[in-house]
Amino acid sequence: MRNKGLIITLTVILSALCIYFLSLTLISRGVQRDAERYATQGGRLVEKQRQHYLDSVWRAPVFGPLTYKEVRQSELGLGLDLNGGMHLTLEVSPVEIVRAMSGKSKDANFNKAMAQAQQLQRTNPSTPFTTLFAQSFRQVAPNDKLARIFANTINKGAIDINSTDQQVIGEINKQLEDAIDRSFNILRTRIDKFGTSQPSIQRVKGTGRIQIELPGVDNPDRVRKLVQGQAKLEFWEVWRQDEFAPYLNQLNQVLSAKEAAAAPAAAAATTATATAAPGDTSALARQLAQKNTAAAKTDTAALAQKNVLGSLFTMPGTLGANIRDTARVNAVLHSADTRAVLPSNLTLMWGVKPDLIDGQEYLQLYAIRKSRDAEAPIGGEVISDARGDFSQQGGGAEVSMQMNPSGARKWERLTAANIGRQVAIVLDDYVYSAPVVQAEIAGGNSSISGNFTIEEAQDLASVLKAGKLPAPTRIVEEAVVGPSLGQEATNQGLYSTLGGLLIIMAFMAAYYGRAGIVADVVLLFNLFLIMGILAQFSFALTLPGIAGLLLVIAASVDANVLIFERIREEMDHGLQTKDAINKGYSRAFSAIFDANVTTLIIASILFIFGTGPVQNFAITLLIGVFTSFLSAVYISRLIIEQMVKGKETTSLTFSTFLSRNLFKNINFDIVGKRKLAYIFSTVFILIGFGLMYLQGGPNLGVDFRGGRAYVVSFDKPVVASDARDYLTKNNFAGAGTEAKTFGTDNRLRITTGYLADDESTAADDKVKTALLAGLNAKYGALKPNIESTAKVGATIADDIKRTSVLSLGLTLLAIFVYVLFRFEKWQYSMAAVVALFHDALIVIASFPIARAFGLNYEMDQVFVAAILTTIGFSMNDTIVIYDRIREYLQENKNLTFAQVVNPALNSTFSRTMITFTTVFLVMLVLYIFGGETLRSFSFAMLLGVIFGTYSSLFIAAPLILDTYGKKEKERMNTDGDAPKLNTGHEQQNPRPRSKAEYTGTIDSKDAAAGAAAADISF
């Protein structure tokens, strides 16, 4: 094998990285177990104490120099469906942005166009609102111009009276994009302060949406208020240190006296600590005594001696605390003692970003001077524009800020009263900057300079613009998974993974003997690589991810099967074991490479266009493509070559007594049955879609139709149809409602379209209240309990449908192009795409047929992933067959496609059936043990494996025969014996063999193979 040293080096490096990151996961899990033991009292876990333990070690070293925070950020996390928590998709409302930019215009044409655009948005949710507004305005006032409305002081410098409609809409879109960016940054800060571990927040590409995932959240109402609250930007005066230090000194004395009275021993220990660590106290003295009077110096010196607050306020050079102590500081600041000592107009606020000093992170505290009415001197609504850029006078980055006339007057008064003092820029009660006023500023144009990077200047400008335009967000998609449901899903995922893995390993060992054991070792190594890479990139493992993992495990075996079957063929043709191994790996490479590329195409499309669970499935699949190729093609070869190295004979086997003669001398007339296959597929698809029509359309999940879904548990089993009928009639105003058993017979999944068009929080509460009212009225004695909720707005549902169709179309197009590139004839591409489209249709048609027999599964996003994965599985089969046909044609220039198609199908039949068996068994395990969440996926995959194998044999290659083969008919030799097929082994195995031994021989007079040679009819 060439480049052996490079492969070994790469494998060692990758393995070391995987070991390191998986060890971090183990360390993190150990800390969490310690927290649970600490917080368990009398057999009951006290969540508050568990969280307190984790907070206390958050910044403490737990693995060498790595803190728990660093370890936790690098561990392999669990998704919401396995860990419980909350998923949200928010959308910035463009309606308020447009109204604000118009100056809340009362113009009749403007308001009529706005109303019309909002109405159109309900039926065209995927069309941008600004586009609909522009169209509506042109219809309402064809001779009017948008500039007449939008050329105002708010848009000064961007829109004037001469601006075209296109320029106005362009500026509105720009402001909307800025609003989305601001919302993202503000939400990111809020989420970081929320206190949940491993939160995730990201923008959805190409949309105005923001996705948030919060594992372990147990207060969804608090989260909704947090993410939907509008940003509050304010400007506040700041106390000088010499002004607030006496109050802190007094507070320190009160706390010291109280502590001394309550715990003398603790007070003595505190004094000892102060003596041992004079650096902290002197730092605090410098903080509180700078530019102070002699009396204040005396006070801060006393404070340093007592050191109660000094042990908390440890930030060098200014008032602040180590970030690990912020919880303790907050407890002190919110105590009754603090409220009694500090004046009512003094409020301490944290800075938003930590400062790194000597390897420690500190947060600064700012003493804000509040007014009697607690109203800020200036609010963010006065900001007309702000931008971060490099200073024109040099000296680094700065922020330019402009205010409207009202704000300019207030700013002039505020700056005049605070020359030489700080003014804090506060957003959501966190201080983003506190610049010192150099002089009175008139006109409302200001420049904020400091030790900024350009990125920090742009971030501050974004913060300042947070108050410029209202950018309320609305929740368009939501899912809440309870911890008990998450634990159940974890168990199901674990059982299905272990079950699938054990079945494959047992099968490979039983079929291939010692070589099968090598494949098992490689399979475990592949699993190790996938988990390690997921941990390296901080990907969370979800139920769809586990499904992808199982699929990768099954598919990775396919490469070993291809190689081992090739080696067996070479050994059957007389090659020695070493030569057979070399040739087997060499001949299998092209088919393995092509199969992996097609899977890579499908996984990439799923990753780009999928969201949430589908994207997680795609990530696992993408990683699995690379690790499977490395492990099956290279690692297994290294092991096998080492096992036979330097030996004249070897005991290494590629078969057992069970498999030695299995699939030998196969000679099925597969293409001769192609017309029966065409008829069967056509009839099956027509029946399926006919039933779908009679059933009122496809059984779409909430992903595609919008609405809300709830998983509800009861103390005893309930009849799903009774619950559905009662709720539809009495609580959901006749709206479409479905109820089905979910996992166990005492749990239902209830989906309703009631108020589906209303995405407001009020509508969420109304639907939930109606649901609980109905369930309690009918099943109150059974104690109904909502375990999880999900909401998908009409906009999201429309986008999911559109991207699903687009994903399918792009997948088929990409495969057409790739197959054309690899096999150089359009007939190959056409046949492959038709066969794959056939697979998609036949799986879709199977769902209404199954529904007629009582198996009622929804078609949702995960179902689409199953369709595309079926296409990938079927394409792998087809590629292997195409590859063998190409090989036979290259080695037999005088033979036609019609003469080699049946031998190619028969020679790859063993590989086809082995791969079918392994993948089918794994999907069967997933169907049985994977849980209700993946039931639709696994059911679709079971059908996909069956019909994908069927189409690769009876549809794909036969279609080429019916198109390309017609051109070759006249070239076929119908006189006497047809030319014999040379499989490329005659030189290595010159031993004469009978036709019965030579399974690759075709004779036109042989009745058994007549349909494959000259007697094939078109």
Side-chain angles (χ1 to χ4, degrees):
M1 183 175 70
R2 290 179 295 179
N3 302 317
K4 183 181 294 186
L6 178 63
I7 297 298
I8 293 174
T9 302
L10 177 64
T11 303
V12 170
I13 293 173
L14 190 57
S15 299
L17 287 171
C18 290
I19 290 171
Y20 172 74
F21 281 98
L22 288 176
S23 67
L24 295 182
T25 301
L26 294 176
I27 294 295
S28 178
R29 296 286 191 272
V31 173
Q32 292 169 47
R33 285 194 296 271
D34 291 342
E36 290 177 2
R37 283 195 292 268
Y38 169 81
T40 301
Q41 298 177 357
R44 187 176 63 89
L45 178 66
V46 181
E47 180 59 30
K48 187 175 181 180
Q49 290 192 11
R50 188 188 75 88
Q51 192 59 50
H52 173 72
Y53 181 94
L54 294 177
D55 288 342
S56 67
V57 300
W58 185 243
R59 298 184 183 276
V62 294
F63 185 59
L66 297 181
T67 64
Y68 176 56
K69 174 189 176 183
E70 294 166 330
V71 168
R72 188 68 190 267
Q73 289 172 343
S74 301
E75 73 168 338
L76 176 62
L78 297 178
L80 301 186
D81 49 5
L82 297 177
N83 196 34
M86 192 172 187
H87 164 91
L88 296 165
T89 300
L90 297 103
E91 191 171 68
V92 175
S93 175
V95 176
E96 284 77 8
I97 299 292
V98 176
R99 288 196 183 279
M101 289 185 69
S102 73
K104 298 185 178 178
S105 174
K106 305 296 184 183
D107 183 84
N109 289 338
F110 169 78
N111 285 289
K112 187 175 180 182
M114 286 290 288
Q116 185 173 313
Q118 287 175 268
Q119 188 66 33
L120 288 171
Q121 182 92 76
R122 295 175 183 173
T123 54
N124 301 275
S126 60
T127 305
F129 177 81
T130 51
T131 301
L132 297 175
F133 167 69
Q135 293 172 356
S136 299
F137 190 81
R138 282 194 293 269
Q139 292 174 3
V140 171
N143 299 319
D144 203 353
K145 289 182 65 178
L146 288 170
R148 180 181 62 81
I149 297 169
F150 289 91
N152 52 38
T153 55
I154 295 174
N155 307 308
K156 187 178 180 180
I159 299 174
D160 58 38
I161 196 63
N162 297 315
S163 297
T164 64
D165 286 358
Q166 186 176 359
Q167 289 172 328
V168 172
I169 294 299
E171 180 62 21
I172 293 173
N173 285 330
K174 178 179 178 296
Q175 292 296 336
L176 181 58
E177 185 67 21
D178 285 348
I180 296 167
D181 283 336
R182 292 196 299 274
S183 296
F184 176 78
N185 291 330
I186 292 165
L187 287 172
R188 182 174 57 188
T189 302
R190 289 179 181 176
I191 294 304
D192 288 342
K193 306 293 182 185
F194 186 71
T196 185
S197 59
Q198 288 188 306
S200 170
I201 175 168
Q202 59 184 354
R203 283 198 58 177
V204 182
K205 298 175 184 176
T207 71
R209 301 193 190 110
I210 300 167
Q211 280 189 346
I212 299 172
E213 287 196 354
L214 300 171
V217 165
D218 57 0
N219 192 344
D221 289 335
R222 181 186 168 203
V223 174
R224 294 186 191 104
K225 292 176 183 176
L226 180 79
V227 300
Q228 289 189 296
Q230 223 170 310
K232 183 177 66 173
L233 177 66
E234 299 168 320
F235 294 82
W236 289 99
E237 295 177 289
V238 180
W239 290 67
R240 290 199 308 263
Q241 289 189 14
D242 62 309
E243 295 172 337
F244 67 74
Y247 295 109
L248 290 185
N249 179 57
Q250 183 180 352
L251 175 62
N252 183 66
Q253 292 175 352
V254 170
L255 295 175
S256 298
K258 186 174 182 180
E259 184 177 317
T270 303
T271 304
T273 303
T275 304
D280 290 343
T281 58
S282 62
L284 181 62
R286 286 197 304 272
Q287 295 165 28
L288 300 181
Q290 190 175 13
K291 297 181 181 180
N292 203 352
T293 62
K297 288 180 180 178
T298 304
D299 290 340
T300 52
L303 175 61
Q305 291 176 359
K306 296 292 185 181
N307 201 39
V308 175
L309 291 183
S311 64
L312 297 176
F313 296 149
T314 57
M315 184 175 184
T318 189
L319 182 66
N322 193 301
I323 201 166
R324 66 169 176 263
D325 296 326
T326 53
R328 293 168 58 202
V329 173
N330 284 334
V332 170
L333 296 181
H334 292 98
S335 67
D337 293 323
T338 301
R339 290 196 300 270
V341 172
L342 297 186
S344 60
N345 63 340
L346 192 158
T347 300
L348 293 172
M349 290 186 181
W350 293 107
V352 73
K353 290 178 65 175
D355 294 318
L356 187 64
I357 303 173
D358 297 331
Q360 295 286 320
E361 285 186 309
Y362 296 89
L363 275 178
Q364 187 173 352
L365 272 170
Y366 294 86
I368 303 299
R369 187 186 297 275
K370 286 289 185 83
S371 58
R372 290 183 179 179
D373 57 3
E375 288 289 330
I378 301 178
E381 72 279 355
V382 304
I383 303 293
S384 59
D385 196 13
R387 58 174 58 90
D389 208 342
F390 289 105
S391 173
Q392 295 181 354
Q393 288 78 31
E398 66 176 15
V399 179
S400 299
M401 177 177 65
Q402 291 81 45
M403 296 183 176
N404 62 26
S406 172
R409 290 190 295 271
K410 294 179 181 178
W411 186 238
E412 184 175 0
R413 290 195 297 269
L414 183 65
T415 53
N418 287 276
I419 296 174
R421 301 174 67 101
Q422 291 176 291
V423 172
I425 301 169
V426 179
L427 180 68
D428 288 342
D429 294 328
Y430 284 93
V431 178
Y432 279 73
S433 182
V436 176
V437 178
Q438 302 296 331
E440 178 182 333
I441 302 173
N445 294 324
S446 309
S447 175
I448 303 172
S449 59
N451 191 22
F452 292 138
T453 64
I454 185 62
E455 292 81 9
E456 289 171 338
Q458 290 170 345
D459 288 346
L460 180 55
S462 177
V463 168
L464 289 169
K465 289 193 290 185
K468 178 188 175 186
L469 293 173
T473 56
R474 59 194 178 101
I475 298 173
V476 293
E477 183 184 25
E478 176 185 306
V480 180
V481 180
S484 60
L485 204 59
Q487 184 60 50
E488 182 179 315
T490 302
N491 295 336
Q492 292 168 341
L494 180 64
Y495 296 151
S496 57
T497 303
L498 289 176
L501 185 64
L502 290 174
I503 286 176
I504 287 182
M505 292 178 67
F507 179 87
M508 292 298 288
Y511 197 93
Y512 290 111
R514 290 185 65 194
I517 295 173
V518 172
D520 290 342
V521 172
V522 170
L523 185 62
L524 291 173
F525 181 71
N526 184 29
L527 183 62
F528 159 74
L529 288 181
I530 294 171
M531 301 297 285
I533 293 172
L534 284 171
Q536 286 181 54
F537 292 96
S538 300
F539 292 129
L541 191 62
T542 65
L543 271 179
I546 289 175
L549 192 65
L550 281 171
L551 195 65
V552 166
I553 290 171
S556 65
V557 172
D558 181 46
N560 286 117
V561 171
L562 269 170
I563 293 166
F564 292 168
E565 288 300 302
R566 274 293 196 173
I567 292 173
R568 288 175 61 174
E569 286 181 32
E570 303 302 331
M571 294 176 71
D572 288 344
H573 289 134
L575 286 183
Q576 296 296 318
T577 302
K578 290 183 182 178
D579 295 331
I581 290 171
N582 288 331
K583 199 157 189 177
Y585 274 95
S586 176
R587 282 179 170 261
F589 184 86
S590 63
I592 295 172
F593 180 82
D594 287 337
N596 277 276
V597 169
T598 53
T599 304
L600 189 65
I601 289 171
I602 291 168
S604 299
I605 289 172
L606 281 172
F607 177 76
I608 293 169
F609 294 102
T611 59
V614 173
Q615 201 169 58
N616 196 274
F617 171 82
I619 287 170
T620 309
L621 207 58
L622 278 168
I623 294 171
V625 167
F626 293 104
T627 58
S628 298
F629 191 78
L630 172 67
S631 58
V633 175
Y634 295 107
I635 306 302
S636 69
R637 186 169 185 176
L638 284 173
I639 296 173
I640 287 177
E641 286 185 350
Q642 188 63 35
M643 292 175 71
V644 300
K645 183 179 180 181
K647 299 178 182 178
E648 292 296 327
T649 59
T650 178
S651 59
L652 179 65
T653 60
F654 291 87
S655 60
T656 64
F657 72 95
L658 294 173
S659 61
R660 192 164 292 121
N661 297 311
L662 202 60
F663 302 118
K664 289 285 187 179
N665 302 319
I666 296 296
N667 198 15
F668 296 136
D669 180 17
I670 296 173
V671 294
K673 305 296 188 294
R674 65 191 187 281
K675 292 182 180 178
L676 289 176
Y678 298 163
I679 294 170
F680 166 77
S681 294
T682 303
V683 171
F684 189 94
I685 291 170
L686 289 175
I687 290 173
F689 279 86
L691 283 172
M692 186 185 295
Y693 175 78
L694 295 175
Q695 291 165 358
N699 184 21
L700 299 178
V702 71
D703 304 34
F704 287 139
R705 65 184 180 187
R708 294 169 178 84
Y710 306 86
V711 175
V712 185
S713 62
F714 303 84
D715 283 352
K716 293 181 180 179
V718 297
V719 179
S721 57
D722 291 348
R724 178 200 62 209
D725 294 343
Y726 186 87
L727 290 169
T728 303
K729 180 180 178 181
N730 298 288
N731 301 91
F732 291 152
T737 302
E738 288 188 1
K740 65 177 183 178
T741 302
F742 191 82
T744 60
D745 56 5
N746 67 327
R747 184 187 290 148
L748 296 182
R749 187 172 193 266
I750 300 169
T751 307
T752 179
Y754 179 51
L755 299 181
D757 293 334
D758 190 344
E759 298 166 355
S760 66
T761 304
D764 296 342
D765 294 338
K766 187 174 181 180
V767 176
K768 185 176 180 180
T769 301
L771 172 69
L772 289 174
L775 293 177
N776 284 320
K778 187 170 179 62
Y779 304 107
L782 301 183
K783 299 178 182 177
N785 175 53
I786 296 177
E787 295 188 346
S788 78
T789 66
K791 178 183 80 172
V792 178
T795 308
I796 290 284
D798 186 75
D799 283 356
I800 291 173
K801 285 186 283 190
R802 179 173 52 83
T803 55
S804 297
V805 173
L806 182 62
S807 299
L808 180 60
L810 285 177
T811 299
L812 296 176
L813 177 62
I815 287 176
F816 182 92
V817 172
Y818 183 76
V819 173
L820 181 63
F821 169 75
R822 290 292 288 165
F823 295 93
E824 301 176 349
K825 289 183 175 61
W826 68 266
Q827 290 90 346
Y828 282 75
S829 295
M830 178 276 302
V833 169
V834 169
L836 298 179
F837 190 60
H838 155 275
D839 296 340
L841 289 179
I842 211 164
V843 172
I844 293 171
S846 299
F847 269 59
I849 293 174
R851 191 178 181 185
F853 287 93
L855 296 175
N856 192 7
Y857 299 120
E858 293 180 346
M859 298 180 184
D860 51 16
Q861 280 191 88
V862 180
F863 169 78
V864 174
I867 292 290
L868 293 180
T869 309
T870 293
I871 287 174
F873 171 82
S874 178
M875 193 65 230
N876 287 358
D877 258 358
T878 303
I879 285 287
V880 171
I881 294 167
Y882 280 7
D883 187 73
R884 188 61 65 94
I885 291 172
R886 177 175 57 185
E887 178 186 322
Y888 283 177
L889 288 174
Q890 288 174 346
E891 295 175 353
N892 301 272
K893 304 293 185 183
N894 58 335
L895 293 184
T896 66
F897 181 90
Q899 290 171 304
V900 302
V901 60
N902 242 353
L905 290 167
N906 280 293
S907 63
T908 58
F909 189 77
S910 60
R911 174 264 163 199
T912 299
M913 295 312 299
I914 294 168
T915 301
F916 163 79
T917 303
T918 54
V919 179
F920 180 85
L921 289 175
V922 169
M923 288 301 109
L924 185 62
V925 169
L926 186 63
Y927 180 76
I928 296 171
F929 299 108
E932 198 64 38
T933 304
L934 291 177
R935 197 80 72 196
S936 172
F937 174 87
S938 51
F939 181 70
M941 280 302 304
L942 281 172
L943 297 170
V945 170
I946 296 170
F947 289 113
T949 303
Y950 155 80
S951 71
S952 62
L953 290 172
F954 292 97
I955 305 294
L959 276 177
I960 304 176
L961 185 64
D962 287 333
T963 52
Y964 175 68
K966 286 186 177 180
K967 297 180 180 179
E968 296 193 324
K969 183 178 180 182
E970 54 192 41
R971 289 178 48 209
M972 294 173 62
N973 182 7
T974 56
D975 298 326
D977 289 348
K980 291 186 177 181
L981 177 67
N982 175 18
T983 58
H985 301 284
E986 309 315 312
Q987 298 303 320
Q988 292 84 1
N989 185 22
R991 176 177 62 85
R993 291 174 290 160
S994 66
K995 187 162 74 174
E997 287 182 287
Y998 204 136
T999 59
T1001 301
I1002 301 178
D1003 191 333
S1004 62
K1005 294 181 181 180
D1006 188 348
D1015 296 332
I1016 291 178
S1017 59
F1018 298 96

